[in-house]
Amino acid sequence: MSRRIDHCDLQVQLTAGSNEWQLVTGLSEAEWTGFAPAGCGVDQGRIIAFPADATSAFLDPDAPDQRWRLIDADSEPLFEFLGYVDDRRPRKRGWIVLGISTTPELLGAWAELQPATTD
């Protein structure tokens, strides 16, 4: 099932297991593409979003997997996952794709969309 939220902030966990999070950028039109079919190269779908600032060093596609989360306007976590910046298939110029490596935690009020289609 695909889900989306209009505006949120992307944060990265600074130290594994800690409660220290660093703001990376604001995002608009963030969409989780839903659980991916087996063998597609991404375990648990992707986050596709338009970043307010795509120049952060945290958005390095060569960096190892990191713990990410999306935060709403009230600073409440919406979504948390282990993942990576995926530069192989950007869908739209200027947008970022985050690959998800483990089952994500859906923590907040995402808008339900139709089931994700395979592209």
Side-chain angles (χ1 to χ4, degrees):
M1 179 65 72
S2 179
R3 297 172 185 254
R4 74 177 190 127
I5 191 162
D6 292 329
H7 300 283
C8 59
D9 286 332
L10 176 66
Q11 295 182 337
V12 66
Q13 191 174 42
L14 295 178
T15 306
S18 76
N19 199 24
E20 298 177 66
W21 294 86
Q22 172 71 42
L23 176 66
V24 176
T25 184
L27 298 176
S28 58
E29 300 181 51
E31 180 180 353
W32 170 48
T33 63
F35 292 99
C40 77
V42 178
D43 293 332
Q44 302 295 342
R46 292 169 282 197
I47 296 284
I48 301 168
F50 188 77
D53 176 16
T55 63
S56 171
F58 289 113
L59 297 176
D60 179 2
D62 295 322
D65 282 14
Q66 299 185 74
R67 192 98 190 141
W68 304 91
R69 73 179 181 181
L70 302 182
I71 303 295
D72 69 11
D74 297 323
S75 299
E76 293 295 323
L78 293 169
F79 192 77
E80 190 172 309
F81 61 96
L82 181 68
Y84 55 94
V85 178
D86 187 350
D87 67 344
R88 294 173 295 160
R89 295 185 58 212
R91 292 183 168 192
K92 303 174 188 174
R93 185 177 177 90
W95 291 55
I96 61 169
V97 178
L98 301 171
I100 301 174
S101 302
T102 59
T103 302
E105 298 172 47
L106 297 176
L107 303 170
W110 288 71
E112 289 282 346
L113 298 177
Q114 69 282 0
T117 58
T118 305
D119 53 25

